[in-house]
Structures are given as structure tokens and as C-alpha cells.
Amino acid sequence: MLQPRCTFMCIQRNIRLFHLHESSGGDWHRHAAHTCAHTPFTCPNSEEQSIYAATLHTQFTTTVAAVLFSGCLGLVYLGLGLSMLDNIVNQDASVYPPHWWLVTLSQGFNLICSSFAFSIRPRFLGAAFVKLFSVLVTTYAAFIGCSSVVGIVAKKAITIKACLDVLSLPDAFLLLLYGVRCSHDEEGYQGNGNALYKPLNAEADGEMADSDSQVTLFAKAGFFSKMSFWWLNHLMKMGYKKPLEDKDVPLLQTTDLAHNQYLIFLAKLNSKQSQSNATPSLLWTIVSCHKRGIMVSGFFALLKVLTLSIGPLLLKAFINVSVGKGTFKYEGFVLAATLFICKCCESLSERQWYFRTRRLGLQVRSLLSAAIYKKQQKLSNSAKMQHSSGQIMNYVTVDAYRVGEFPYWFHQTWTTTIQLCIALAILYNAVGAAAVSSLAVIIITVVGNAPLAKLQNKFQSKLMEAQDVRLKAMSESLVHMKILKLYAWEAHFKKVIEGLREVEYKWLSAFLLRRAYNSIVFWSSPVLVSAATFLTCYLLKIPLDASNVFTTVATLRLVQEPVRSIPIVIAVAIQAKVAFTRISKFLDARELNGQVRKKYRVGTDYPIAMNSCSFSWDENPSKPTLNNINLVVKAGEKIAICGEVGSGKSTLLAAVLGEVPKTEGTIQVCGRIAYVSQTAWIQTGTIQDNILFGSLMDRQMYQETLARCSLLKDLEMLPFGDLTQIGERGINLSGGQKQRVQLARALYQNADIYLLDDPFSAVDAHTATSLFNDYVMGILSDKTVLLVTHQVDFLPGFDSILLMSDGVVIRSASYHDLLSDCQEFKYLVNAHKDTTGVSDLNNMAHHRAKDLPIKETDGIHGNRYIESVKPSPVDQLIKTEERESGDAGLKPYILYLRQKKGFLYASLSVMSHIIFIAGQISQNSWMAANVQNPDVSALKLISVYIVIGVCTVFFVLSRSIFFVVLGMQTSRSLFSQLLNSLFRAPMSFFDSTPLGRVLSRVSSDLSIIDLDVPFALMFGFSSSLNAYSNLGVLAVVTWQVLFVSLPMIVLAIRLQRYYLASAKELMRINGTTKSALVNHLGESISGAITIRAFEEEGRFFAKNLELVDKNAGTFSPGFVGMALSYGLSLNNSFVSSIQKQCDLANKIISVERVNQYMDIPSEAAEVIEENRPAPDWPQVGSVELKDLKIRYREDTPLVLHGITCKFQGRDKIGIVGRTGSGKTTLIGALFRLVEPAEGEIIIDSVNISKIGLHDLRSRLGIIPQDPTLFQGTVRYNLDPLGQFSDQQIWEVLDKCQLLEAVREKEQGLDSLVAEDGSNWSMGQRQLFCLGRTLLKRCRILVLDEATASIDNATDAVLQKTIQSEFKHCTVITVAHRIPTVMGCDMVLAISDGKVVEYDKPMKLMETEGSLFRELVNEYWSYTSNGNV
């Protein structure tokens, strides 16, 4: 008895630890076994076992006794009841009164039902129900038993029934005993798992108990709780008392978790694949996963249709009773009772139908979100070209949402058909052959709608494609907003996005208009059907009376609601079809071949081996990116990879990682890999999170990692040490700090192979020396290292050097061998000497360096780093996402309607609908008043009826058109305001706002505003007006109905408010959790190579599943929006009205969310008309800084502390300082990316704070620290504004060493530039940025570490190009390579945001204690050490 319970607990533990499945390499069974072996629960000892066995035995005995006794007694009652009935039929004498057979049969059925109920597991029915039911049965039995005893005493006669009644007393007592005990045990089980299992780890048990208590009550709800939605009441009550918060949202039950749904899907997919060689259909696989849910919800849908269709039949029977044609005495009461029962069944089944299909949609959405994320982790390079990051985000936020919406509407497709068939049958019964004309009108309506549906499908596909393109452009612009501001390109890129949005509007208006036409057709079809029916009655001489007229009208009103919902069903089905096709196409995209890496084998001497390998990013063997690579790396060997820009160095590392498709040869890589990318990838989170990267904290190793990566001093300067929150893409770290965090992440993983892609280019000379000595040659001394570098000084320390050119390894040898007999290598080394020998300072610096030892890390930083205290979240960079709270009232509706004459269009459409309703009422009133009026002929009766009906159709048309215009105009206005607000926002907004928050608003929220809100508003208004007009008609015709209806309306409104208090908060939380999901997805896409390199896909997938579940959890209660109306079966139109209002209230939250980013405080004006600089400003190019103080936010300390200096016009200024000293901040102040807290900057006598931002930035040139390319063409990236000719662009390409690279491409200037410029090397991207500046030719040029990723030979050529091309300009150079600034006229040295010195470089070199001199000496120290 005990073993299964232990096993069950073990299984539960496995389910709870589901997310470790992926992180354990997918070995679920091994992990499950491990979990069972180490479960923190133990079975009881022998004494407890005996107690437990005795308890079980007693419980089992009670159960069997109660169930058997109750069942047998029930059967005897049934037998007695049938015997009584037989006596009555045969008119035999009986000792019992005539009606007792019914009482006896009902008692028998009651006892059998009780027996059945208590034989079921109590948890299925719910503890509360079991307890209540057993008490009621006992009370009932006690009453019957006592009554029988009194009867025996009074009559002094004993009957069989009396004996059975007395025997039912002990039976009821047994049931009561069992019910109370079972419910107690069940509650105990639900409350704390199982008390007989003792936790060995109290903390773990507490966590599990806490997790259990947070799971949705739906998971523990009994049968009746589920049917009545009582389980939801706890959350609703909490939401009504106070605004819900994230922590209040319950967790999903196990079945609904994205991980479980995904596993079920994979299992089903694999089983289908094993049965057939063909690729299984994604759609049918999902359907087969959820066929039980579809069938059950389908059953409730059918039950709803059947109970609803009984209404007109009962109406006809009521009319017959009212005119004296009843069949028996109390028929009216029986009909009323039947109507009440039917309405209860209809309401109950409808709520279950809606709830179950919503839950089904949620499960499908979760599994698709999981599948999309999993797919993007394995996407090949060629597939990435077809599916950009913006598109992938669209698949999750919009397409998966649309597919998830479809199950809710699916059953409407066939139930509407059944309802129509039933309606036709009822019509045939009422009006005979005239029903054929109704059928004809319906067929014409459906057939006529088919072409519209096809067009809608086409327009929806085009709309989604246009949305993809627009979202991709927006995503790219938002990510690179700093670059757009530096180049003053915001207006141009905003115009491009507006142009893309116009294309979107074209398809959106086409789609909405077709949907409006659908709406017109189906809203007017009941009018046309009734007109056709009555006209046919007249032509066929079928008499019209009150009975068949109002049966017809009632039947048509019955199908009116489902017929009117057909346009919604068609729209949703088309949207789901298009979305599903897009997702299927993405899931079928090409994947990476993961066969390159092998698990580490002990004693492997050659961890990396390539034999005659060729690789191609395009998977094209005829165009290899790398050709005939032969590489064998010994364990512990240090390999340097060098070569000119674009020679294939980074591609070689990517090939080792398995990122580049192999077209030829064999490759084997053994061991764990750590990878440092050339472009730093930093996650949003703390520095500690980025370094640990999912590993457990080892404090000693962690401290050593920080020291080896020269991070200790930086952490001391940061406000919260290593717990400082890092903005998206490491926005609040300098370039050097980001690279050192990456190096720390790699080191902490303690891998076997280290692939380092030019990590020292972003750090200063001293830090580079320290990192090389302590990191590469120190702590990695026994590791295998492949280092891409342009710094020749480090090369002598390597075992072997690979010299690359045009995708080929031209030589592989040691430093001295290459230097002696390789001409290309000599050229590279000599180029380095040329760049370092710019002046006679060379000898001086070199001489002085001999006596200067290299400082050790501890000497510079000391061991002063203390573990950080946990920071206050308030002080961190990334704030909690803002959201409205409580009841916003009419505010979002007013916001929506006040855009571009919105109130006018809404008023016109509401008036149109009121006239339509008035027409319908007058139609029915005319028919009711004159159907039995002998003075009105049948022709006149029907003609007037038809004319009124046809007139109402025009008002349905005008209503729909006005709402489409309203929707289009409002979408335009909201998007325009949002776009302006985002593009005018200061950089501080983008630094502190994760991209996911913005993207979720411009994708899913905007899609809801475009497609859903206009029609939700229309149907909300329409259904409310319908409901109240129905009530008005009832009040006029039968005023007594107000006694029932008014209290019901008050109750309905109160219940609606009760529900909406929680539903609105849940939808808001849904928005914020969706932002987190999108943000994580965006980060995962941008860091995919790093994540795969560290084999962390499982952890990131588990995090994604957690975010999907968190987002789905807000829908879990939210989709029961319609469920609250289960008690409101007063009238179908009222139920529909409340549903539509709840739906609108949920959708209007998207307007609320978009509005949050429509009023971002903007930066200074782009142009100040009264203070515009001269057209040729700046002429001289002098820059004067006066007491410049900068802080990034009001609540943060100063970053620049009162800098004062003057850069003379046409001078060449060098700005130097250690990493994090404030060099890049100074450049940001020059471009006014951040406004001065105090002080001013004067350029050619103009205070730059007094002029417009566009006037300032467009007159300055910059080559930024992070080279950025945009998706498009080579021409577009050099000249996005289209200001220059092709000849000018070719000349510039020649000057910046890109001519050959572009000429090799087939399309020349129209050659493709992929997203983020990923098909061009980092060095080439920097050359593109130089090209932009050469085209622009500004009087002031800023080089922000512009040649960090370029080899020395190219750097030498570029320095000469810059000197010649910008000899009449002021050039401000921020550089880590000291020789770059040696030829400057003046050098500004900064330390900790303060000016340390500003003078001629020669003079500074001669000054004892000069910071510049110290930096030069450090540079020459590591150079001389490197060349030893």
C-alpha cells in the first residue's frame, strides 16, 4: 500500500523540477531517476506504517459498507416503486396512495446516486461538496425515517416502504461518517501534500508548500466548483478589495504549463513521424494533442445549441396555452419549469464551452511560444536572413496570440450551422414550404460571402507581412537610437517607418472594410430571411396568425446572435490561418548542424582538429567563406589568429563553434568551450548575473575572476558593486568594461577551450597588458586558447600564429619563424611599427619604459573589493514597468474616441444603430398589431414589413462604415503620437527602458488597437443598445416583467463591476509580463551564438517557459471574463451585452498601455527658429568647455566634474584616460545626448545649449565606438538620406579601404547588408562608419576609438587618409592606442571625470608625474615586453 504513494510523491517532484529537463542535456529519464533517489521525503517507519495501514483499513471498510448498503437499499426502493407503478397500471388494489410510486422511485434513484457519488474519489467532487452532500442526505433520511416511525405508531401497521425508510437512517449515518472523514483527509492532502511524508529538508518543504499554495485553485477544485466557477471567487474577491499585483496571480496547474504542453506536442509529433515517413502536419499534431479538450468543449457547445433551440418550441406551446389549446391542466407551470431548466442548462453549458475553449487556446499559445523560442535557438544563418529578430518577436506576440484566440470561436463554425438547421426545421413546422425561401436566402448569403473571405485572407497575409517589415524597422531604429541621434538621422528613419506604416494602413483598411461588409451581410440576413419567408407565405397563400408569425420571429431572433457573430468567426479564422501559416513556415526553417562538438574525452590530445575544411555562411560550396582550412590544436596550446580586415578571423572561431555550415572536410571539437565575442553581449541584470551566467556561486573563484579581469576598481566605482543593474546591451558600461565582463563570464565557466575574438581592442594599453599577462598567459596557462587580435605586440607569447587572408590560412608558424620568412607577416609587423613611430617620442618613451616594470593587478587595484550589499531596487537603472492601477473609468475610452473626430464618428454610428433597432421594433410592432387585423390585407402587412426591413439595412451599413473610419483614424493618430514620442525621447529613456517594453506595445498592443478595438467597440455599443431596447419593449408590452428584470440588471451591473475590477488588473499585468517575455526573446536572439557556445540553451529555454507561464497565468483567470454571466440567463441579449462589454474592457487596456509611452518627456527642440546657426556654421571649429558638469540622472552623482578647456579650430585633439574615466561621456555632452548639469559648451561663439539639436548634430561628424550598420544595401548604409552620387560613394569606398570588398559582390552598391551588419566583419563595419564621415565632411570630427577593430596596416592607411582629408578640420580623437594620439596638436588627459592635464603631447611627455606620460610608458612597456 505504501510503495505507490512514495512513487507518486517522487513523480510530483519530477513535475515540479520540469525546467531542469533542458539544462540536464535533455536527459529527462536520468534526471527523474536522480530526483527519485535524492527526494527530500522519506516514508514512515514501521510503527507509523502499521498506524497508517490500520487507518486505511478502517477507511476502506467504511467506504465499502456505505457504498454497498446505500446501493442495495436504492435497488430495493426501485423494485418497490416499479411494483407500485405496475399495480396502478393494472388497476390492482394497493396499500399505498397513488402518487407514492413516484416518491419511492425518486428515493431509489437518490440512494443509487449517493452510492455512486461516494464511490468516486472525493477530490473529484470537492471536499466541501462531499461534506455538504452527506449532511443533506442524512437530514433527508432522518426526516423520512422519523416520519415513517410516526406513521407506523399512528396506523399500527408496518409496510415494506416504512421498513426501508427506517433502514435508510443507519445508511445515511454511514455516508455522513465517510463524507466527513474523506473530506477532512482530502483537505489535509491538498493543504500539505501528505502528512505521512516527513521532509528531511524543512526549507525545501516550505518552498514546496508555498508553491502549492500559489497554484490556481482550479487545480484543486471539485466537479461542482469547476462547473459553477466557484474556484475563481477567491481571486475575484481579492481583486475587488484591492488592485491585484504580480504576486497575487496564481501559478498555472501542471497540465497548463508551457513545458508540459511542449513535451506532449513533441511526443505526439515523434509518434506521428515514426508511423509515417512524411513530415506530420503541425496543425493536426496540435489537434491530436488536444482532441479530448476539443470533444468535451464541443459537447457543451452542442448542449447549449440544443437547449437554446427549445425556446421557440416552448414559446409556441405557451401561445397555444394562452389561447386555450393546452393539453392538460397544469401545462403552463410545466412549461415555465421546463423553460427555467433549459435556461440553466443553456447558461451552464455556454460558460463551460467558453471557458474550456479559452483554456485550450491558452495551451496552444503557450506551446507555440515555446516552440518558436526553441526554434530560434537553433536557427541557421541563412534562415536568420529570412526571419529577422523583429519578425520572430511578431510570431510570439501577435501570431501565437491570434492562433490562441481561434479555439474560442472554433465551435461557433459548426454550432451556427446546426442552429440554422434547427431554425429551418422550426420554421418549416410553423410556415411549411415557405421555409425553403429562408434556406435560399441563407445559402445566397454564405455563397456570396465566400469571395469576401478569400479577399480577407489575402489582405490579412499582406497586413502581417507589412507589420513584420514595419516592426523590423522600428526594432532596428530603437536598438540603434544613439547612432540615429549622433548622425541626426531620427527624422529620416521616422519618415521611413511612417512610410511602412502607410503600406500597413492600406492593407488594414482593406481588411477592416471587408470585415465591415461581412458584418453588414450577416446583421441584415435575419431581416432578409424574415422578409423572404413572409413574402413566400403570401405567394403560397399560407395563412399568417399570431402563433406562426411569432414562432418565426422568435426563431430568427434566436439565430440572430450566432449569425451576427459569423463575421467575427470569419475574421478570427482568417487571422489564425495566416498566423499559423507564418509560424509553420518559421518552424520549418533550416537549423544549425550540431554535430561539430563532442563531449570531452579524458586524454584528448587534440581538442580542435580540422582537415581540409571549407565553410560558407550562404551554404554555397562554390562561394566558401573559409577555404581549405587545416588546423590541429594541441591541448593547452595558445594560438593567435591575425590578418587584415575581412580576412575571416571571426568566421574561423564561428566555424569552431559550429555556427558556419561546413561544405567540405571534417572537423572535430572536444571539450567545453568559453567564447568572448567581438561585439560584447551583456544581459539585462546585475554584473554578478552576467559573470555567473547560470553557474553556482564559488566566492573564492569569483573574487579571483574579478581580479584577473581587472574589474575590482570598476566595481568599487559602481554604486552597488557587482549587484549594480546593467541596462539593456550593457548601456551603462563603457566598451572596455563590457569586454571585461565578457572575459570574466568566460573565465568563471572554467572551460577547456577559450575562443577570444579581439577582446583587447576596447580597453586601454595598460589594461590590455594586464589582461594578457594575468588572463591569457596566467590563469589560462593550461587551457587551449584561440585569440583573434590586431595587436602585434602580444604575438611573440603564442605557441603558433595563424596568418589569414581572404578566407585562407596562408601561414601557420611561431612568431620568429613567420617574421623570418613570411613577407605578409613582416608587412603587418612593420605597419604596426610605422603607426607607433609617428614621432621622435618613440625612442624617448621606449628608453624610459625599460626601467618601468609592468604593474600587477593587485598593485593597481589592491584587494579592497568587498562583497556588495543588496541594493535598493528604487535606486537601480531599470525601473519596474509602469502600469495603471484600479478603475481607470472612462479615461481609456475617451482617449480612444477623442482622436481625429472620433466622437463624431462614434456618435454617427451609434445613431445609425439606434435607428436600426427602432426599425426592427417598428417591424415587429407593425406585424403584432396588424397580423389579425381584417382591415389590413396580407400584401400590405408583408409589404410594409419588408420596406421597413430593407431601410434598416442601410443604417447597418452606415454604422459599420463609421466604425471602420473611426478605427483607422484613431490607429493613425495613436501610432503617430507614439512614434513622435519615442523618437523625441532622450537617451536616458532608452538606457533605462528594456526594448521589450516598447516592442510589446508597437506589436501586440498596436495589433489589438488596429484589428480588434474598433469592432469590440461596435459590438459593445450594439449589444448594449439591443439589450436595453429589448427590455424597453418588454416593459411596454408586459410591464410586470420589470419586477424581475430591474433587480437582475442591477445584479448584472454589480457582478460586472466585481469581475472587471480583477480582469482589468490581470490584463495590465498580462501586458507587463508580455514585455518581459519579449525582452528575454530579444536578448536571446542577439546573444544566440554566446548562449550556444556556453551550451546554456536549456537554461534560457527554461527561463522562457517560466515567462510564458507567467504571462499565461494572467489569462488563466482573465479568460473567464464571460464566465461571470453564468447566472444571468434573464435574456440572451443581456448575456451577449455583458460578454461584449467585458471583451471591450479587456481590449481597451492596449490603448491604456500605448498611451503610457505617448507622453515621454522629450529632449530639447530639434530646431529653434529664432536661434538657428548660420548655414556655414561652424567655420573655424573651435570648441570651448566651461566648467562642464554632467550627471546621467538627477538622482545620480556627477560623471564629469567641472571640465574647462578650449580646442582651437583646425587642431587635432587627443583625449586619453583609463577605461571608465569619462571620455565617451564627454563626447555625449558635445552631441547633447546628455544635457549639462552646469557649465556650457561653446562652438565658434555659439552656445550649443541655445540651438536646436538637429542643427547641432547635423553639423558634427562622428565615427562611434560601436560601429553600426542597418539592414539594407551598401549605398543605404553610407548615404541613407540619398544626398550623394554613386561616383562620390565609390571614391569614398576607395579611401576607406572597402573598394575591393564591395566590388567583389555581384550587386556592388546594392549588395546586401544583413541585420546588424552581421555579414560584414567588425573592422569592415568601422570602415563603413569612416565612409559616412568622409561623405559628410564636417568641420568638427569626433573619432571615438574608431579604429579599435582594425589591423595595424589598415589603421596606418586610415590615419593618413584622415590626416589628409580632414587637415582643415578640428579632429577630436578618443583612443586606447596611444600612437593614434601622438601626432595630435594637443592632448587632454581625463581621470575620474576630471581634467588632469591639457597640453602639447611633447610637453606632457617631459613633465614628471604626467598621466599621459604614464600611459605612454605603460603602452611601450607592454610593447617591449611583447616583442621580447
Side-chain angles (χ1 to χ4, degrees), residues 215-280:
V215 172
T216 173
L217 293 174
F218 177 71
K220 303 169 187 175
F223 177 75
F224 286 93
S225 177
K226 284 180 179 176
M227 294 303 286
S228 63
F229 296 99
W230 189 256
W231 59 272
L232 192 61
N233 205 38
H234 172 72
L235 186 70
M236 293 294 177
K237 198 184 292 180
M238 191 193 305
Y240 190 67
K241 288 178 181 174
K242 69 173 185 76
L244 292 174
E245 297 172 25
D246 291 32
K247 66 178 188 297
D248 299 324
V249 179
L251 304 175
L252 293 175
Q253 64 172 344
T254 310
T255 324
D256 296 329
L257 292 173
H259 180 264
N260 288 351
Q261 288 297 319
Y262 183 62
L263 286 184
I264 292 166
F265 168 71
L266 285 184
K268 190 65 73 174
L269 197 68
N270 292 334
S271 71
K272 281 182 176 288
Q273 274 179 334
S274 61
Q275 292 165 13
S276 167
N277 293 328
T279 307

Side-chain angles (χ1 to χ4, degrees), residues 41 156 191 237 382 388 403 530 620 922 960 1245 1316:
F41 289 95
K156 296 181 180 177
K237 198 184 292 180
S382 58
S388 68
V403 174
S530 59
N620 185 353
S922 59
S960 300
S1245 305
D1316 293 327

